[in-house]
Amino acid sequence: MVNTKLSNILKHFEQMYKFIFVRLYHLLSNSKVEWADIEKENETFDTLRKKYFFPLLFLLSIVTFVGICLAPNDLPEVENQTESIGWMQQELKGVLLVLTIYFTSFFLTIIVVGLFLTRHYGIKDQNAASRILVFPFCILMVSYIPGLMWEDLEFLVYVAMIPCFYVIWTGVDVVCHSLEEEKRQRFSWFAFITFVVVFIFINLQFTKIIQ
């Protein structure tokens, strides 16, 4: 009975992450077609964060913990229980830092971009900004994972900004199709710059606070 439940849970997670990664791959390889499908689904912000953002954030937290534990330079010789607890606190602090950075950046960016979209372009669809930005954040989280396991690959999270811009640009064309082309282009740049600036700012600020 227990094995059956465990098997069903693992199968559910496998299907969920397979769906997410396949969607991200299609957004990068055939973006316009995939965005058309996303727009037809017309999912709300609540659905998008539960379906894409939170599962990847959970995966990122697990990989972060494992990556910190396996890092050779971060494994002190633990001689007593007090040192063991202190070492565990350091590991949990690293996980908390990553969760805080991505969680705060995600919601703050969506709030800023959503307000801009409503006030300057009159688009009152509260889910438009979240549909445009949830996938770039997913790409950013996936690109962060290799750097957790191998320090030489930490730069990938910044290289990933390039495909993130492409996904935002093509997403705005579909989600904000009612806008004139010039306005769509301006909004694409605003959304991308906000995405980058907020992420870097939150990253720097929370790194200082937690450390």
Side-chain angles (χ1 to χ4, degrees):
M1 187 69 176
V2 175
N3 289 337
T4 303
K5 287 184 178 180
L6 181 60
S7 177
N8 291 335
I9 291 172
L10 292 175
K11 187 176 181 179
H12 171 73
F13 273 93
E14 180 185 359
Q15 292 175 344
M16 178 176 65
Y17 285 111
K18 182 179 179 180
F19 173 79
I20 293 173
F21 287 121
V22 167
R23 169 139 284 179
L24 293 179
Y25 171 76
H26 287 160
L27 277 170
L28 295 173
S29 61
N30 197 3
S31 191
K32 290 185 178 181
V33 174
E34 194 66 18
W35 269 117
D37 291 339
I38 293 169
E39 188 63 8
K40 288 177 184 177
E41 293 166 7
N42 196 29
E43 292 176 320
T44 64
F45 171 59
D46 187 56
T47 302
L48 288 167
R49 65 182 181 177
K50 290 178 181 178
K51 193 173 181 180
Y52 300 100
F53 182 75
F54 285 144
L56 280 180
L57 192 63
F58 172 74
L59 177 63
L60 186 61
S61 64
I62 298 298
V63 176
T64 300
F65 183 78
V66 173
I68 294 174
C69 289
L70 296 179
N73 296 330
D74 293 335
L75 288 175
E77 294 182 3
V78 179
E79 297 180 355
N80 53 56
Q81 186 175 3
T82 303
E83 290 185 5
S84 177
I85 293 173
W87 175 76
M88 182 60 68
Q89 288 176 340
Q90 286 296 112
E91 309 309 301
L92 293 176
K93 189 183 290 186
V95 175
L96 178 62
L97 175 62
V98 171
L99 290 176
T100 304
I101 289 171
Y102 280 92
F103 184 87
T104 308
S105 301
F106 176 67
F107 283 92
L108 183 56
T109 304
I110 286 177
I111 290 171
V112 173
V113 173
L115 287 173
F116 183 87
L117 192 59
T118 301
R119 293 183 180 181
H120 290 271
Y121 296 117
I123 294 181
K124 298 180 180 180
D125 182 0
Q126 300 297 321
N127 300 304
S130 58
R131 284 202 295 275
I132 293 167
L133 291 165
V134 66
F135 300 107
F137 269 101
C138 288
I139 293 170
L140 209 59
M141 285 190 283
V142 172
S143 67
Y144 188 74
I145 291 175
L148 292 170
M149 309 306 295
W150 300 281
E151 289 186 4
D152 293 340
L153 297 179
E154 289 180 350
F155 70 94
L156 287 177
V157 72
Y158 298 102
V159 174
M161 295 293 181
I162 299 172
C164 286
F165 174 71
Y166 172 70
V167 170
I168 290 173
W169 187 275
T170 52
V172 169
D173 279 346
V174 175
V175 177
C176 303
H177 59 85
S178 60
L179 295 177
E180 298 172 2
E181 184 178 356
E182 185 179 348
K183 290 183 178 180
R184 291 201 304 269
Q185 291 176 356
R186 284 205 302 264
F187 177 66
S188 296
W189 279 110
F190 175 81
F192 175 68
I193 291 171
T194 304
F195 167 77
V196 173
V197 170
V198 169
F199 176 76
I200 293 176
F201 176 78
I202 295 296
N203 196 341
L204 294 174
Q205 293 303 311
F206 279 98
T207 300
K208 290 178 182 179
I209 293 172
I210 293 182
Q211 290 182 347

